[in-house]
Amino acid sequence: MRIVVLAGGIGGARFLRGLKQAAPDADITVIGNTGDDIHLFGLKVCPDLDTVMYTLGGGINEEQGWGRADETFHLKEELAAYGVGPEWFGLGDRDFATHIVRTQMIGAGYPLSAVTAALCDRWKPGVRLIPMTDDRVETHVAVTLPEADGAAGAGERRAVHFQEYWVRLRASVPAEAVVPVGAEQAKPAPGVLEAIAQADVVLFPPSNPVVSIGTILAVPGIREAIADAGVPVVGLSPIVGDAPVRGMADKVLAAVGVESTAAAVAEHYGSGLLDGWLVDTVDAGVVERVRAAGIRCRAVPLMMTGLDATAQMAREALDLAEEVRGA
Amino acid sequence: MRIVVLAGGIGGARFLRGLKQAAPDADITVIGNTGDDIHLFGLKVCPDLDTVMYTLGGGINEEQGWGRADETFHLKEELAAYGVGPEWFGLGDRDFATHIVRTQMIGAGYPLSAVTAALCDRWKPGVRLIPMTDDRVETHVAVTLPEADGAAGAGERRAVHFQEYWVRLRASVPAEAVVPVGAEQAKPAPGVLEAIAQADVVLFPPSNPVVSIGTILAVPGIREAIADAGVPVVGLSPIVGDAPVRGMADKVLAAVGVESTAAAVAEHYGSGLLDGWLVDTVDAGVVERVRAAGIRCRAVPLMMTGLDATAQMAREALDLAEEVRGA
């Protein structure tokens, strides 16, 4: 079975670990979000790709969900001692190596997809990890900076890099707009459309519907390829009981006018794209509403409390996909 | 008193620490060797400038003489895990920060001299540290690679970067030639010639006469400025009892046809450049030979066994300079 998964960072990575256990023989291609990539200290950092790679490759900081295990932060301390920031982005000493290798390869002319494949030669994530595009896409968030913001521009309206919104500002102010800058001109990376065309099923893990999966779908050609693939497309709600399971998805959902409910996210994707949708058992009450939107829906436990629970979620998603296929 | 010191790495840095104690009120300008600079992992590394900066700024690994105190090597371990080398060059996690800041500033258009000043804003070495040039000069060494060399080209004649000769090969094969590539086209960095013109004394610490001080003197204009400054120029022998005090100076002296003796090094500099020369007490027998070459010479203890001993060496050098001046 060939499975294509659109993935952001922590949520996508943890779901993938469950999927690998649930479908050990499946051929899994992961299309990774690169909209939150950022250039720091002259280095290209791809937080979502790395989170998937480290999580599936056994190098992740398990508690934190991102970054490397057994990490130290000496380099970052020294940069701060030189007065060189930003200090709010947590790059560890081990993690820096990934960004140095990536930046060197890109400088040598390799596209990000080839670089990602090279990095995965070491990590052996057990999936094929492809960035959504080799082109530069950078998610910006329009905000009014807090009056008490320590940075320049306090109280002013600004477009900030997604990482600045998410990590420095901790989504403490409303996201007035979310724009994947460059997406319109971007082309899917080599292998993306081919993987979708050959897939038996496409899954949307409980990743952020706006800044993770939404950004991937914003690359021209990807949404259309999925809609036209003629195979079941099944998603898992990242919203449980009207709140994000983790992260601050509600903040960016508001920016696109979508309420933070499991049903509203399904309707946001729409029946033109989505065939099946899993909501958590606490949201069993919305199943009928989702079905009314033309999307098959089931309520099952959606808390990724451990590998077995996550594998069971993956099984439920694949099972719903089979229901779609048989319909 | 304005003192100009031409310095390489460890020997120069340690001497400077003694000089600062011996002449606490002196205005000291250090012209640093950049011929052993190397680009690694996309970063510009300046080993000699950093050794001076860290040593005088209190950040040096005292035992090793180079690199940072309290250092870790996690980033380097990870690069090796990616198969990215060279592994033979020991960059620590804290040290990396210096190279990242430097590389970013150079990428932003600042010359190395301005970058060095910015780095020194943090370290406050108590001297003015100027690279010999803002232009790229790279010392190459012609060698016949060892037959058993693990690297490509075993047994072949090659020109290798000085760091590869010194660090990877540990000077285990003869240096057939030493060439400061780019030196002929290089210009002294801003402030170098001015500092020499305004100096009351110029000192050559017990640094390597070929690949440290020799490289600085190879930048057109520097040797001439020193010779024409009309102030005492006094050096300290890096050779004690026919062997280098530290390092492998004998290997590169052979490449320029100079024997490894305190007298031969003085003659190599020559009376056109050098006014005074300190040799160690074990080399008292060569004092007359040096004097016969037209260079004032004294035999004093030249082992930098500690700060006080080093300060005494600096006092002896300044004292000999006064003798030159009074002559």
Side-chain angles (χ1 to χ4, degrees):
Chain A
M1 181 166 52
R2 284 164 298 194
I3 306 174
V4 165
V5 181
L6 273 50
I10 303 177
R14 288 185 173 167
F15 174 78
L16 282 162
R17 198 149 55 173
L19 179 63
K20 280 175 64 185
Q21 175 168 308
D25 299 326
D27 173 350
I28 302 171
T29 297
V30 178
I31 301 172
N33 172 42
T34 59
D36 62 346
D37 290 3
I38 186 167
H39 284 76
L40 293 169
F41 316 116
L43 301 173
K44 182 169 176 67
V45 179
C46 301
D48 282 0
L49 295 180
D50 289 350
T51 294
V52 170
M53 187 172 76
Y54 293 160
T55 299
L56 300 184
I60 200 77
N61 178 323
E62 291 287 349
E63 280 181 44
Q64 196 170 248
W66 54 270
R68 295 289 313 278
D70 301 317
E71 187 59 290
T72 51
F73 291 86
H74 296 151
L75 203 171
K76 181 180 187 316
E77 285 170 28
E78 296 293 327
L79 289 172
Y82 279 117
V84 172
E87 291 189 42
W88 47 263
F89 201 89
L91 290 182
D93 298 327
R94 294 188 186 281
D95 193 25
F96 257 108
T98 300
H99 315 313
I100 286 176
V101 174
R102 176 185 292 123
T103 304
Q104 276 205 282
M105 287 190 71
I106 286 176
Y110 293 94
L112 182 61
S113 51
V115 174
T116 303
L119 295 172
C120 285
D121 277 346
R122 171 186 172 194
W123 288 102
K124 305 195 188 331
V127 300
R128 181 170 177 220
L129 175 61
I130 316 179
M132 63 189 198
T133 179
D134 282 331
D135 300 323
R136 185 164 174 169
V137 175
E138 211 170 79
T139 302
H140 286 194
V141 182
V143 295
T144 300
L145 291 173
E147 289 291 344
D149 197 25
E156 293 177 16
R157 193 153 188 274
R158 287 284 171 84
V160 299
H161 190 287
F162 170 71
Q163 296 293 354
E164 184 171 358
Y165 180 68
W166 210 246
V167 181
R168 185 175 80 78
L169 295 172
R170 297 178 185 279
S172 58
V173 289
E176 297 165 22
V178 177
V179 182
V181 177
E184 281 179 24
Q185 292 76 41
K187 291 183 298 295
V192 166
L193 298 183
E194 294 79 354
I196 294 169
Q198 294 164 9
D200 296 307
V201 56
V202 176
L203 299 180
F204 295 178
S207 287
N208 190 303
V210 181
V211 295
S212 295
I213 295 177
T215 305
I216 300 170
L217 293 172
V219 176
I222 294 185
R223 175 188 290 270
E224 298 74 6
I226 293 172
D228 297 347
V231 298
V233 179
V234 172
L236 298 91
S237 176
I239 307 287
V240 169
D242 300 352
V245 176
R246 58 161 295 121
M248 302 157 285
D250 48 331
K251 302 290 184 172
V252 288
L253 279 166
V256 294
V258 176
E259 63 179 2
S260 287
T261 66
V265 172
E267 290 162 356
H268 172 62
Y269 286 131
S271 61
L273 186 68
L274 204 60
D275 301 305
W277 187 242
L278 294 179
V279 300
D280 188 79
T281 45
V282 304
D283 294 311
V286 307
V287 167
E288 287 309 317
R289 174 176 158 190
V290 175
R291 288 177 179 164
I295 298 166
R296 284 171 191 267
C297 185
R298 292 183 191 169
V300 299
L302 286 191
M303 301 302 283
M304 295 193 283
T305 50
L307 182 54
D308 287 344
T310 309
Q312 183 55 31
M313 286 166 54
R315 270 182 224 107
E316 296 284 0
L318 294 174
D319 197 58
L320 183 54
E322 288 313 303
E323 179 186 313
V324 169
R325 195 187 312 279
Chain B
M1 181 165 55
R2 284 165 298 194
I3 306 174
V4 165
V5 181
L6 273 50
I10 303 177
R14 289 185 172 166
F15 174 77
L16 282 162
R17 197 149 56 173
L19 179 63
K20 280 175 65 184
Q21 175 168 307
D25 299 326
D27 173 349
I28 302 171
T29 296
V30 178
I31 301 172
N33 172 42
T34 59
D36 62 347
D37 290 3
I38 185 166
H39 285 76
L40 293 169
F41 315 115
L43 301 173
K44 183 169 177 65
V45 180
C46 302
D48 282 1
L49 295 180
D50 289 350
T51 294
V52 170
M53 188 171 76
Y54 294 160
T55 300
L56 300 184
I60 199 79
N61 179 323
E62 291 287 348
E63 278 180 45
Q64 196 169 250
W66 55 270
R68 294 289 312 278
D70 302 318
E71 188 59 291
T72 51
F73 291 86
H74 295 151
L75 204 171
K76 182 179 188 312
E77 284 171 29
E78 296 293 326
L79 290 172
Y82 279 117
V84 171
E87 291 189 42
W88 47 263
F89 201 87
L91 290 182
D93 298 328
R94 294 188 186 281
D95 194 25
F96 258 108
T98 300
H99 315 313
I100 286 176
V101 174
R102 175 185 292 123
T103 304
Q104 276 205 281
M105 287 190 71
I106 286 175
Y110 293 93
L112 182 61
S113 51
V115 174
T116 304
L119 295 172
C120 285
D121 277 347
R122 171 186 173 195
W123 289 103
K124 304 195 187 336
V127 301
R128 183 173 176 216
L129 175 61
I130 317 179
M132 64 190 200
T133 180
D134 281 333
D135 301 321
R136 185 164 175 169
V137 175
E138 211 171 78
T139 302
H140 287 193
V141 181
V143 296
T144 301
L145 291 173
E147 289 292 344
D149 197 24
E156 293 177 15
R157 192 152 187 275
R158 286 284 170 86
V160 298
H161 190 288
F162 171 71
Q163 296 293 355
E164 184 170 359
Y165 179 68
W166 211 245
V167 180
R168 185 175 81 79
L169 295 172
R170 296 176 186 278
S172 58
V173 289
E176 297 164 24
V178 176
V179 183
V181 178
E184 280 178 25
Q185 291 77 40
K187 292 183 298 298
V192 166
L193 298 183
E194 295 78 355
I196 294 169
Q198 294 164 10
D200 297 307
V201 57
V202 176
L203 299 180
F204 294 178
S207 288
N208 189 304
V210 181
V211 295
S212 296
I213 295 177
T215 305
I216 300 171
L217 293 172
V219 176
I222 295 184
R223 175 188 289 272
E224 298 73 4
I226 293 171
D228 297 348
V231 298
V233 178
V234 172
L236 298 90
S237 176
I239 307 288
V240 168
D242 299 353
V245 175
R246 57 161 295 120
M248 304 157 284
D250 49 329
K251 302 289 184 172
V252 287
L253 279 166
V256 295
V258 176
E259 63 178 2
S260 286
T261 66
V265 173
E267 290 162 356
H268 172 62
Y269 285 131
S271 62
L273 186 68
L274 204 61
D275 301 304
W277 187 243
L278 294 178
V279 300
D280 189 79
T281 44
V282 305
D283 294 311
V286 307
V287 167
E288 286 310 318
R289 173 175 157 191
V290 175
R291 287 177 180 165
I295 299 166
R296 285 172 190 266
C297 186
R298 293 183 191 170
V300 299
L302 286 191
M303 301 302 283
M304 295 193 283
T305 49
L307 183 53
D308 287 344
T310 309
Q312 183 55 31
M313 286 165 55
R315 270 182 223 105
E316 296 284 0
L318 294 173
D319 197 58
L320 183 55
E322 287 314 304
E323 180 187 310
V324 169
R325 195 187 311 280

